[in-house]
C-alpha cells in the first residue's frame, strides 16, 4: 500500500510539473499583467478574504524579525491580507504600513552583505554561495531558510500589489526563470548591463579579448579560480580541477572568462535561486521549484 501510495504521489507531482510546462508555453507571449491576474484569480479565495495575518517588525533588525515569522506562516496565512506593525511605533495599518514594509524589505536586504550584494545598477543579487554557507546570521537561521523567507516576502508583495524597494538583478531573474545566460557573449552582456553607469568591468570591455594580457598588465597574474567578492579572506573556488595552478594566457583567456562569469552569475547563485523559488512556491503553489509566477 505504501508503495502504491508513493507511486500515486509521484504521478501527481509529474502531472503538476507537466501542467506548469504547458503554462510556460501558453504564457510566454502574454502580457505579464494578464498572466499575473490569471494566477491571482486561481488562488484559493476562502483564504484570501477571511481574516488577516499579523506581522510585527523591528526596524533595527529587519530580516532577523521578519524571517522567522514569515517562515512559520501556513499557506492559509500567506494568502490572507497582511497587517504590519513596527515595534515601538504607534499607528494602525490601513495599507500604508504594508506598502512601506514591502518597499523597505528589499531596500534593507542591501544591509545583509553575506546574503545579498548590490550591482552597479543597484539591483540585488545573491552573495557568493561560499560566503552564505559560512556565515552565521544574527537570527541563527541558515542561508537557505533566509533566502526562502525572502521568496515568501517577494511573493506576498506581488499578492498585495506592492512594489519592492529594489529589483533583482537581471541574470538572477533569468536563473529563477530557468533560462540562465550560457554563452560567453550572453554572460558578458549581463555583466555589462548590471554595471550600470559606473566604470565597466574590465572583463567585459571589447579590448580584453582582442589585446594581449600584457597590455592590461595581467600577464601571469590570473589563474583559473574565482575569488570571494564579499570578504577577501574567503577561500578561492577553482573553476576547474587544479585551477589554482593553471595560469591564464592569451590562448586560454576566453575559456577562463566564460568559466568565471558562469560561476559568478549561475553556479554561485543556484543555491539562493532554489531556496527563493521555494518561497514563491509556498505562496503561489507549484512543484519541484516550478512556480506559476515564473512561467
Amino acid at each position: 500500500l505504501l508503495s502504491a501510495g508513493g507511486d500515486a504521489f509521484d504521478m501527481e507531482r509529474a502531472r503538476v510539473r507537466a501542467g506548469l510546462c504547458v503554462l510556460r508555453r501558453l504564457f510566454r507571449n502574454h502580457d505579464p499583467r494578464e498572466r499575473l491576474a490569471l494566477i491571482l484569480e486561481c488562488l484559493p479565495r476562502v483564504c484570501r478574504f477571511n481574516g488577516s495575518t499579523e506581522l510585527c517588525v523591528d526596524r533595527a533588525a529587519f530580516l532577523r524579525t521578519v524571517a522567522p515569522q514569515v517562515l512559520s506562516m501556513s499557506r492559509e496565512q500567506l494568502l490572507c491580507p497582511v497587517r504590519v506593525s513596527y515595534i515601538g511605533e504607534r499607528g494602525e495599518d490601513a495599507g500604508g504600513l504594508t506598502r512601506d514594509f514591502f518597499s523597505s524589505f528589499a531596500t534593507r536586504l542591501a544591509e545583509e552583505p553575506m546574503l545579498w550584494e548590490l550591482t552597479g545598477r543597484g539591483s540585488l543579487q545573491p552573495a557568493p554561495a561560499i560566503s552564505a554557507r559560512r556565515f552565521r546570521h544574527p537570527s541563527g537561521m541558515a542561508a537557505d531558510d533566509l533566502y526562502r523567507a525572502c521568496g515568501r516576502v517577494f511573493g506576498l508583495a506581488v499578492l498585495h500589489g506592492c512594489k519592492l524597494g529594489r529589483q533583482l538583478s537581471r541574470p538572477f531573474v533569468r536563473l529563477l526563470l530557468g533560462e540562465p545566460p550560457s554563452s560567453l557573449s550572453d554572460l558578458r552582456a549581463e555583466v555589462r548591463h548590471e554595471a550600470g553607469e559606473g566604470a565597466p568591468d574590465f572583463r567585459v570591455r571589447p579590448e580584453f579579448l582582442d589585446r594581449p594580457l600584457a597590455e592590461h598588465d595581467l600577464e601571469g597574474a590570473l589563474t583559473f579560480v574565482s575569488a570571494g567578492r564579499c570578504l577577501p579572506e574567503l577561500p578561492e573556488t577553482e573553476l576547474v580541477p587544479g585551477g589554482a595552478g593553471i595560469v591564464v594566457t592569451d590562448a586560454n583567456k576566453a575559456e577562463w572568462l566564460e568559466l568565471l562569469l558562469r560561476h559568478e552569475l549561475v553556479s554561485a547563485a543556484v543555491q539562493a535561486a532554489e531556496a527563493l523559488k521555494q518561497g514563491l512556491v509556498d505562496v503561489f503553489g507549484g512543484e519541484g521549484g516550478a512556480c506559476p509566477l515564473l512561467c
Side-chain angles (χ1 to χ4, degrees):
L1 288 176
L2 288 176
S3 176
D7 290 344
F9 180 68
D10 289 341
M11 290 177 61
E12 181 62 25
R13 293 180 64 182
R15 282 196 289 268
V16 172
R17 286 195 294 268
L20 289 171
C21 289
V22 172
L23 276 179
R24 171 165 290 191
R25 289 197 297 270
L26 292 174
F27 277 175
R28 185 169 295 276
N29 296 319
H30 274 60
D31 185 308
R33 290 168 295 185
E34 295 179 359
R35 293 164 50 185
L36 180 58
L38 178 58
I39 291 168
L40 295 178
E41 184 65 25
C42 291
L43 291 174
R45 288 179 174 272
V46 64
C47 301
R48 290 170 59 196
F49 300 109
N50 287 333
S52 61
T53 298
E54 304 296 324
L55 191 59
C56 186
V57 183
D58 185 349
R59 289 189 189 272
F62 220 90
L63 184 59
R64 186 171 66 190
T65 54
V66 170
Q69 294 180 74
V70 170
L71 288 178
S72 68
M73 293 178 184
S74 65
R75 179 85 191 287
E76 289 75 16
Q77 289 174 310
L78 289 171
L79 294 177
C80 285
V82 170
R83 291 177 60 86
V84 176
S85 63
Y86 287 101
I87 295 175
E89 300 181 19
R90 301 177 63 182
E92 292 290 328
D93 185 6
L97 290 178
T98 297
R99 290 190 295 272
D100 173 77
F101 164 73
F102 287 118
S103 178
S104 298
F105 182 81
T107 302
R108 297 293 293 273
L109 288 180
E111 300 171 9
E112 303 284 346
M114 301 301 285
L115 281 174
W116 297 95
E117 56 187 18
L118 295 180
T119 68
R121 295 180 69 90
S123 306
L124 287 167
Q125 68 179 15
I130 191 168
S131 67
R133 289 196 300 267
R134 285 173 171 262
F135 92 117
R136 285 189 61 81
H137 194 264
S139 66
M141 301 175 67
D144 283 356
D145 291 331
L146 292 168
Y147 283 125
R148 183 173 184 173
C150 291
R152 284 189 170 201
V153 173
F154 293 167
L156 289 173
V158 173
L159 199 60
H160 288 74
C162 296
K163 293 183 178 180
L164 293 168
R166 288 191 183 277
Q167 63 184 7
L168 297 173
S169 72
R170 193 170 73 179
F172 186 58
V173 171
R174 292 182 61 179
L175 185 58
L176 290 172
L177 292 171
E179 301 172 353
S182 55
S183 67
L184 178 55
S185 60
D186 199 7
L187 291 162
R188 295 181 84 196
E190 293 298 344
V191 173
R192 193 178 300 113
H193 172 79
E194 289 300 333
E197 299 297 327
D201 190 320
F202 77 92
R203 301 170 303 178
V204 299
R205 293 177 179 172
E207 61 269 21
F208 177 72
L209 291 179
D210 297 337
R211 298 178 183 174
L213 290 171
E215 293 188 16
H216 304 286
D217 295 324
L218 291 173
E219 187 173 25
L222 304 170
T223 57
F224 276 65
V225 298
S226 173
R229 299 194 301 270
C230 290
L231 293 173
E233 60 266 28
L234 289 174
E236 298 174 329
T237 301
E238 292 188 328
L239 301 174
V240 294
I246 302 176
V247 176
V248 177
T249 65
D250 290 323
N252 64 18
K253 65 182 179 183
E255 177 190 4
W256 165 81
L257 184 56
E258 183 172 342
L259 288 170
L260 178 64
L261 297 184
R262 182 176 293 114
H263 172 77
E264 292 181 357
L265 300 185
V266 182
S267 303
V270 166
Q271 175 185 352
E274 292 304 314
L276 193 144
K277 277 196 291 185
Q278 186 56 54
L280 293 173
V281 168
D282 293 340
V283 177
F284 292 99
E287 176 57 44
C291 176
L293 190 66
L294 301 175
C295 288

